[in-house]
Amino acid sequence: MYSFTRKATSTPLDHYYKLVETGALKADDHQVRIVKKLEKLHDELLEYRPPEIPQKPVSSSLLSRLFGGGSDESAYPVLIAPEQVPKGLYLYGDVGTGKTMLMDIFYNSLPPSITRKRRVHFHAFMIDVHKRIHAMKAKLGLAGGDPIAPVARDLAQEVYVLCFDEFQVTDIADAMILRQLFERLLNLGVVCVITSNRHPDELYKNGIQRSSFVPCIELLKSRFDVTDLDSGTDYRRMPRTLSHVYYDPLTPDNQAEVEKIFTAFTSDPSDPVQHNRKLLTWGRTIVIPESSSRVAKFRFDQLCGQPLSAADYIEITKNFETIFVTDVPKLGMEQKDMARRFITFIDACYESKTKLFTTSEVPIFKIFADDPEARSHQLSDHMRSVMDDLGLSSDIVGSSSMFSGDEEVFAFARACSRLVQMGSKEWAETAGAR
């Protein structure tokens, strides 16, 4: 039997077994195997002394000192040998196998003495990196130079333990940035823990100029312990009592019920509802139709009928703990852009633990589904495989011919899975508290 007094500090195994002891988790041999790896990394970090990061690059080039600019590689040397840095961990596996939970256990077990640490969803991290690169290019000005090296240096000054959740590469811009950024961060002594749905060899598999990204894949495989979390248990399939947060169809009674709930959530006289509140992000303005300081309400067309980005949805969910979305229609091919935005919004809500209420024309899980009477196509083998991995059936969420590529199919199925989880009693009871 595992002893909680084995070490003076609380470790990943301590956290894991306490969750098992309280009944929050069921012991899983596959997960214990991963937690033991996290425990090893945790112990190594206790002894690790990261290198001091210079405030500015030290250039050995006289011309660089005189004229600035340029991309002098010697200005950003390897500060610590790879064998002196704890090896990072790359966890990959299907949705629902507990990757995020295990990462959170690891991160929360890090002692207070490790202050330079960050746990972030990969999408939000890349938004931050793009902002930093944009600012660095402006700072370098006409002289130009490599903006990624100083961005990596700034990040390494802020953190030396970096945890990424849901690592993925979907476009050439990110692929080219990551190739350089990871190498520089590792050379500066940054230790990373990464979760992903894909093995490194499967990243950016059909991407443009993928050959340029292959060195990054090789770096991940050589500098990380790449581990498959093949649990066999999907923690999202475990029985849950659905809470009443989704209302369909669009009847006056359902609309009135959701309006009643919104009024209850915004009943504090010291925090009245405002109309057309403005949020600023990336120099753009997002208008929130109705909101208190913690609760927001949109019609579907206000949320997804305009060209909002992932950064916008992250900003919205960062500011509001509870969000109401009304009048969600059944979506067809002509609303494909809206469907993509809604999926991005669902992902943002899920990652930020936002409580979600909706009114919809059809059950919220089926808003992407084709009309069974009009549909003549059959589910592809890929779609069947993905939906099976997520514990979904076409009887529950329907199927959609709207999404065709591998990434789109997975995003659609994952959104349905997350909507199911976000409708659970557990989610309703714990979400929205920050």
Side-chain angles (χ1 to χ4, degrees):
M1 183 67 179
Y2 182 80
S3 171
F4 294 124
T5 61
R6 186 171 61 87
K7 295 185 179 180
T9 58
S10 183
T11 70
L13 277 170
D14 290 328
H15 281 251
Y16 183 80
Y17 280 110
K18 284 176 183 175
L19 289 172
V20 172
E21 189 177 72
T22 60
L25 283 180
K26 183 178 180 181
D28 183 304
D29 289 343
H30 297 282
Q31 289 188 343
V32 171
R33 173 175 58 88
I34 302 301
V35 177
K36 287 181 178 178
K37 289 178 178 286
L38 293 168
E39 178 101 348
K40 178 176 179 292
L41 179 57
H42 171 276
D43 291 349
E44 291 174 348
L45 286 170
L46 294 180
E47 305 297 326
Y48 177 54
R49 296 296 176 264
E52 184 175 346
I53 310 298
Q55 292 296 317
K56 293 183 179 180
V58 181
S59 176
S60 61
S61 166
L62 176 62
L63 288 176
S64 178
R65 288 199 299 271
L66 288 174
F67 299 107
S71 56
D72 185 2
E73 291 294 329
S74 65
Y76 299 95
V78 177
L79 294 185
I80 185 169
E83 60 270 16
Q84 295 179 313
V85 182
K87 202 168 188 177
L89 195 61
Y90 183 105
L91 299 177
Y92 73 97
D94 291 331
V95 172
T97 50
K99 301 184 300 295
T100 297
M101 176 199 66
L102 295 179
M103 171 179 280
D104 287 341
I105 286 174
F106 169 77
Y107 187 80
N108 293 331
S109 73
L110 293 174
S113 59
I114 299 179
T115 57
R116 288 167 50 204
K117 61 187 175 183
R118 185 179 180 190
R119 188 266 190 230
V120 62
H121 186 269
F122 185 70
H123 207 143
F125 175 76
M126 287 309 299
I127 290 171
D128 179 40
V129 167
H130 281 289
K131 285 182 179 180
R132 290 173 185 256
I133 290 175
H134 178 75
M136 187 57 64
K137 286 181 177 178
K139 184 177 180 180
L140 293 171
L142 295 176
D146 173 19
I148 297 178
V151 165
R153 186 189 70 238
D154 290 346
L155 286 168
Q157 287 174 342
E158 296 170 14
V159 300
Y160 69 87
V161 180
L162 191 52
C163 296
F164 293 121
D165 195 26
E166 295 211 16
F167 180 76
Q168 58 181 318
V169 187
T170 57
D171 63 64
I172 184 64
D174 284 356
M176 295 303 95
I177 289 171
L178 288 168
R179 173 184 172 179
Q180 300 178 62
L181 185 65
F182 265 119
E183 182 175 11
R184 297 192 186 282
L185 287 175
L186 295 175
N187 287 342
L188 293 171
V190 176
V191 180
C192 298
V193 175
I194 297 172
T195 73
S196 179
N197 296 311
R198 300 176 182 273
H199 186 280
D201 286 334
E202 299 296 312
L203 292 170
Y204 198 51
K205 191 169 183 179
N206 299 308
I208 300 170
Q209 299 178 30
R210 186 178 188 267
S211 59
S212 299
F213 184 67
V214 170
C216 184
I217 293 174
E218 296 305 317
L219 187 70
L220 290 171
K221 289 160 63 177
S222 64
R223 298 288 295 272
F224 288 77
D225 180 358
V226 178
T227 303
D228 178 10
L229 181 55
D230 182 15
S231 173
T233 300
D234 186 337
Y235 291 89
R236 297 184 192 178
R237 299 189 197 187
M238 297 176 74
R240 294 180 173 93
T241 303
L242 289 183
S243 175
H244 205 179
V245 295
Y246 305 139
Y247 292 79
D248 65 88
L250 297 176
T251 61
D253 286 346
N254 281 335
Q255 299 282 35
E257 184 63 26
V258 169
E259 187 62 34
K260 187 189 302 181
I261 298 170
F262 177 72
T263 300
F265 269 77
T266 56
S267 59
D268 184 352
S270 66
D271 185 20
V273 171
Q274 294 184 25
H275 292 270
N276 299 323
R277 184 194 303 265
K278 292 179 173 59
L279 293 182
L280 295 178
T281 179
W282 284 75
R284 298 174 57 236
T285 300
I286 308 171
V287 178
I288 313 299
E290 295 181 66
S291 65
S292 66
S293 64
R294 299 166 59 185
V295 182
K297 185 170 74 168
F298 299 83
R299 290 195 317 273
F300 178 82
D301 62 314
Q302 295 169 327
L303 186 70
C304 300
Q306 53 181 321
L308 297 181
S309 67
D312 297 324
Y313 293 127
I314 289 172
E315 188 69 18
I316 290 169
T317 56
K318 183 174 73 176
N319 278 273
F320 300 103
E321 300 171 355
T322 302
I323 297 178
F324 290 73
V325 183
T326 65
D327 305 307
V328 181
K330 188 174 185 300
L331 299 168
M333 286 297 294
E334 63 277 12
Q335 292 100 20
K336 188 170 182 177
D337 285 344
M338 289 187 180
R340 286 170 171 161
R341 291 185 198 119
F342 192 56
I343 286 172
T344 303
F345 169 72
I346 293 166
D347 287 342
C349 286
Y350 183 84
E351 294 302 331
S352 61
K353 292 288 286 184
T354 299
K355 191 189 297 288
L356 179 65
F357 290 87
T358 67
T359 62
S360 56
E361 182 179 352
V362 296
I364 194 69
F365 319 107
K366 295 192 175 183
I367 63 168
F368 306 112
D370 294 318
D371 184 346
E373 296 181 3
R375 173 164 44 93
S376 58
H377 78 283
Q378 297 294 318
L379 283 177
S380 68
D381 290 341
H382 177 64
M383 175 69 89
R384 290 184 187 279
S385 174
V386 169
M387 294 181 76
D388 183 61
D389 287 343
L390 294 172
L392 303 171
S393 72
S394 58
D395 293 335
I396 297 173
V397 301
S399 60
S400 177
S401 58
M402 187 186 311
F403 307 110
S404 52
D406 286 2
E407 295 291 344
E408 280 195 339
V409 167
F410 184 83
F412 150 68
R414 182 179 63 188
C416 293
S417 174
R418 288 179 166 180
L419 281 169
V420 170
Q421 187 177 3
M422 291 162 66
S424 71
K425 180 180 179 182
E426 289 88 344
W427 187 276
E429 289 175 349
T430 60
R434 303 177 191 171

